């Protein structure tokens, strides 16, 4: 289990960098200034976990420890460097970010982060004694809350509400956790199972272009 | 008082179903996918109480118990069925929800829910030892917070800020509570009084088309 | 230090009135009704501190005490009176607020409020044992969170993310606090230092038209 724990920590770190980079790219595309780009990067990486911590009555770890913040700062720095490189190469000032966001170099680490975040959120919900619905909420919020808050700051309908098969893997990854715990699976193994479910569903959705129906 | 308690629980249940249905209809009208429609339904029904619980330092009951969630799910299911029925009947794919939302079959249970939610919010504020202003805030947020959060997710100015006499009944229903408690009225009776004030004002506003002035 | 404390309390009071007035003017400009204008006034004045209190696990003082609320109400009243005076004088119904917001009579007390709020936020972060990043977040949120929430309610990208040198003074004012505390400066003196840094930077930014670069 030590190796599994290390693998999970690595997934989480990849996710923090990827989410922060995606948030910063979105902010840059929207023409925000350096403060705004930084806010979107930090919020995309740390916002979901922060809201989840508020819901279960904890002071957010993002405000108490340094590792998450440093990883997010690395993602923001990476995004700013990429945007300026693309700008120089292509002389196309505002389209660089959007193209990057559709590339496998972003989609894959983003999917890994979604899996680690959603599984972590489900585990926090279990530890807080929430109902199965509550566990699904903390899993989903941890996975997609930061990106949705960033969309809100850009006065946009959160992308996960409209299209794409992005939140659904987090919902399913949260939903498998309460039954697994009820069946006696330890929390560590359940968290890995949850992350595996999220990652598998998300990668399949990218590969096969899955979408949810509108009503 | 047992009967009064049962009546109040019934009002609350009606409100949860109605608010969830209204939220889901708004999401469907806005072209959201099934996940987005569900989020808007749950958020409209449970979001106001969740934010109120955060403000008074409680883990939200919506994440710990099942009854509220099941009632909200029933409202969402009802809305989805209604929209699909209307779509089939009228072959008008995106206007079904808006018409439904103006019908008495929605406006009346929605007003009942507003009354139950605002009165509950005021009682929670009193129990948490808030100031009179704080009690008005928890009453109003519980009543209109969920719908306003849904509007924000749709990147719209919350309807209650612009028009209609919808938040004002909740404000008044909250404002009567601290004086009633100060005068020695028990909390249970005060809550019923508050709900009655909200319901009376809201129904009168619908009947007579009341609006607040702009400034 | 008693005089310094009184000066700081005065700065905070000026900020509450100014922020509430700015929020109410924004709401009036956006055509909100009286409820909406009041919500924007209270939220601009009290919202940043309320979110900060949630983050550090406190029941918001804005819901427990009366002084802040009364000062915010005074600011809202002032704004409504000013708008109606301007409307009568100029017969230009919707441009009054925006002009007022650019006048020194608003910019100066607003800068004083930004300084007092950000310094207070940093002190709360220190008292809660947050990391240096956490202290910067509570300082910035307390300073610009209320105005940003108001922008969100108006379905606008928060102005501080896009332009102007407004959030940056709060960030810097927060960032000086952890090193000052580490160097042994008492919290009271550190708070005054922080407020001085914010006020100096903000006034210089207004005077010289500073802006952050976009990325």
């Amino acid at each position: 289990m030590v190796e599994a724990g290390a693998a999970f920590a690595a997934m989480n770190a990849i996710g923090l960098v990827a989410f922060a980079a995606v948030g910063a790219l979105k902010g840059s595309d929207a023409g925000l200034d350096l403060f705004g780009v930084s806010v979107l990067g930090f919020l995309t990486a740390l916002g979901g976990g922060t809201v989840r911590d508020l819901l279960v009555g904890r002071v957010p770890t993002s405000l108490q420890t340094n590792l998450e913040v440093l990883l997010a700062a690395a993602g923001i720095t990476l995004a700013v460097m990429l945007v300026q490189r693309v700008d120089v190469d292509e002389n196309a000032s505002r389209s660089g970010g959007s193209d990057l966001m559709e590339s496998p170099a972003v989609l894959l680490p983003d999917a890994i982060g979604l899996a680690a975040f959603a599984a972590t959120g489900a585990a926090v919900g279990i530890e807080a004694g929430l109902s199965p619905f509550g566990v699904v909420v903390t899993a989903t919020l941890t996975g997609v809350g930061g990106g949705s808050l960033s969309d809100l700051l850009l006065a946009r309908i959160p992308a996960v509400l409209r299209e794409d098969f992005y939140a659904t893997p987090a919902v399913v990854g949260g939903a498998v956790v309460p039954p697994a715990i009820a069946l006696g699976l330890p929390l560590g193994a359940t968290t890995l199972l949850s992350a595996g479910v999220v990652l598998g569903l998300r990668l399949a959705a990218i590969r096969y272009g899955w979408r949810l129906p509108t009503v």
Side-chain angles (χ1 to χ4, degrees), chain A:
Chain A
M1 287 304 291
V2 173
E3 280 175 21
F8 195 78
M11 285 178 66
N12 210 45
I14 290 169
L16 284 162
V17 175
F19 276 39
V22 167
L25 290 174
K26 272 202 303 200
S28 168
D29 268 14
L32 302 189
D33 68 17
L34 191 55
F35 173 74
V37 167
S38 304
V39 167
L40 257 74
F42 283 122
L43 191 64
T44 305
L46 308 173
T50 299
V51 173
R52 174 207 65 211
D53 284 345
L54 288 182
L55 285 174
V56 300
R58 306 201 305 200
V59 175
T61 54
S62 57
L63 302 181
Q64 295 180 295
T65 62
N66 292 317
L67 182 58
E68 291 181 16
V69 174
L70 290 173
L71 288 164
I76 295 168
T77 307
L78 196 67
V80 169
M81 286 169 56
L82 282 170
V83 168
Q84 297 193 325
R85 167 75 64 91
V86 171
D87 283 0
V88 170
D89 286 1
E90 303 190 1
N91 206 13
S93 65
R94 284 280 152 244
S95 66
S98 346
D99 294 345
L100 282 169
M101 275 189 272
E102 298 299 319
S103 77
V106 168
L107 286 177
L108 183 61
D110 184 81
I112 292 171
L114 178 68
F117 284 27
T120 303
V124 170
I126 290 288
E127 284 167 350
L130 302 187
S131 67
F133 176 79
V135 171
V136 170
V137 168
T138 53
T140 309
L141 260 184
T142 310
V144 310
S148 298
L149 286 171
S150 297
D151 286 337
L152 288 182
L153 283 189
L154 295 176
R156 294 179 190 162
I157 301 180
V160 295
L161 297 182
R162 284 197 301 185
E163 55 188 40
D164 228 343
F165 202 84
Y166 190 93
T168 306
V171 170
V172 177
V176 300
V177 167
I181 296 289
L183 290 171
L185 205 63
L187 185 56
T190 303
T191 304
L192 289 174
L193 168 71
S194 171
V197 167
V198 178
L199 187 57
L201 283 173
R202 177 61 189 146
L203 292 180
I206 294 173
R207 174 72 184 78
Y208 299 108
W210 289 349
R211 282 170 186 266
L212 279 188
T214 56
V215 181

